[in-house]
Amino acid sequence: MAVITQPDRPAGRGRPLTASPVKRRALEAGVPVLQPPRLRDPGWPERLTEHRADVAVVAAFGQILPKAVLDVPTRGSINVHASVLPRYRGAAPIAWAIIRGETETGITTFQMDPGMDTGDMLLREATAIGPDETAGELSERLAVIGARLLLRTLAEIDTLPRIPQDGAQATMAPRLKKEDGWLRPAGPARDLVNRIRGCNPWPGAALVTPVGRLLIWRAHALPGPTTAPPGTLLPLSPQGRGQGEGPEGQGSLGIATGSGILLPLEVQPENRKAMPWADFLRGARLEPGARVTEPTP
């Protein structure tokens, strides 16, 4: 009946107003498009009522919708959420599931109420999180699962049981900030890798090196006790552990952490393109013993 999406935003070179992919697809399909700045503003429930919709489908809309809007369709409003509720309610469930080391997530469709992802559940489907999978890669997989689960939800909407959520089991996934990508070398290497994965593609996981700020897009956690202070660059042995002689060349450096060694794989210096870690080390001329630190405001 209609597509409701966010207003056009400035984007790209010169910052011209740019339509969202949702709007472009709707126009291609000949579907009317509405772009309210806020659906809480007066008059919007009445405008939506004019379309006489049976059901509203909400995905990543970015606003808390008031009950007056949710109740406009005769069968209410359904949300497609990228977690197995009640875990990871909120704006960034994919990123936080990875950052917190989860090995499984999924999709939930649920009947919306005015709360933050608190409505009765309709269908859920779980999927494993790959050990090296980034938030961007997982998002693409979950989009396919979500579309399939949504179609089934709509087909069975009149017969699906409404399953209340157990609020005691709920966890939150707030909107990411740039600071959420700051890496603290004193933490365990495995936790740092999870944060790097969860902050790819946004906001990126950042460290400060002797030659400037560095984003780390991919990394591995290596075992090995080390007496070096966290953040110290260490030569790696041929077995990939710290404190060894290692092969010659600066591509064989890892970062000491509070537990284990962080081996960056793909990094991006400020104002430059992403590159292999070994290429960065060669250009930066960093030696064993150099230190990296957490960014500061």
Side-chain angles (χ1 to χ4, degrees), residues 38-89:
R38 292 198 329 152
L39 275 172
R40 288 183 174 274
D41 292 342
W44 277 105
E46 293 76 14
R47 290 193 62 180
L48 299 180
T49 300
E50 297 171 3
H51 292 279
R52 304 175 63 86
D54 294 310
V55 64
V57 171
V58 182
F61 188 67
Q63 297 180 23
I64 298 293
L65 303 182
K67 190 173 187 301
V69 168
L70 297 175
D71 291 346
V72 165
T74 55
R75 288 172 173 81
S77 300
I78 293 170
N79 187 252
V80 186
H81 185 75
S83 79
V84 180
L85 290 172
R87 295 183 61 77
Y88 296 102
R89 295 172 174 172

Side-chain angles (χ1 to χ4, degrees), residues 6-256:
Q6 297 285 345
D8 296 355
R9 308 285 191 198
R13 192 182 185 95
R15 311 293 289 169
L17 284 178
T18 303
S20 70
V22 171
K23 178 180 178 179
R24 295 197 297 269
R25 182 67 186 91
L27 294 176
E28 291 170 5
V31 179
V33 176
L34 303 176
Q35 296 180 274
R38 292 198 329 152
L39 275 172
R40 288 183 174 274
D41 292 342
W44 277 105
E46 293 76 14
R47 290 193 62 180
L48 299 180
T49 300
E50 297 171 3
H51 292 279
R52 304 175 63 86
D54 294 310
V55 64
V57 171
V58 182
F61 188 67
Q63 297 180 23
I64 298 293
L65 303 182
K67 190 173 187 301
V69 168
L70 297 175
D71 291 346
V72 165
T74 55
R75 288 172 173 81
S77 300
I78 293 170
N79 187 252
V80 186
H81 185 75
S83 79
V84 180
L85 290 172
R87 295 183 61 77
Y88 296 102
R89 295 172 174 172
I94 297 172
W96 284 112
I98 293 176
I99 290 171
R100 292 171 184 163
E102 302 286 356
T103 59
E104 184 179 87
T105 186
I107 292 287
T108 305
T109 58
F110 66 93
Q111 196 84 45
M112 296 180 72
D113 63 20
M116 173 69 78
D117 303 326
T118 55
D120 290 348
M121 298 178 292
L122 298 167
L123 291 174
R124 290 189 291 181
E125 181 174 328
T127 185
I129 302 175
D132 298 317
E133 198 166 24
T134 68
E137 292 162 347
L138 181 56
S139 295
E140 292 185 8
R141 285 205 303 115
L142 289 176
V144 176
I145 297 172
R148 172 164 44 78
L149 212 63
L150 170 62
L151 292 176
R152 182 182 161 201
T153 300
L154 292 173
E156 303 174 19
I157 190 169
D158 291 327
T159 58
L160 286 173
R162 271 58 175 168
I163 304 170
Q165 296 188 41
D166 180 1
Q169 301 298 316
T171 58
M172 300 306 295
R175 191 180 305 277
L176 283 178
K177 308 181 298 295
K178 284 192 174 183
E179 292 82 356
D180 292 319
W182 291 359
L183 296 175
R184 298 169 177 82
R190 182 69 254 176
D191 291 353
L192 297 177
V193 169
N194 290 340
R195 188 167 294 272
I196 290 165
R197 294 164 54 219
C199 292
N200 181 350
W202 197 90
L207 283 170
V208 175
T209 77
V211 295
R213 186 174 292 221
L214 184 73
L215 293 177
I216 302 180
W217 293 115
R218 294 184 186 273
H220 283 161
L222 303 178
T226 172
T227 57
T232 305
L233 295 186
L234 301 172
L236 299 180
S237 70
Q239 290 76 36
R241 297 175 182 270
Q243 305 292 359
E245 294 299 326
E248 292 185 0
Q250 292 175 310
S252 56
L253 298 181
I255 301 172

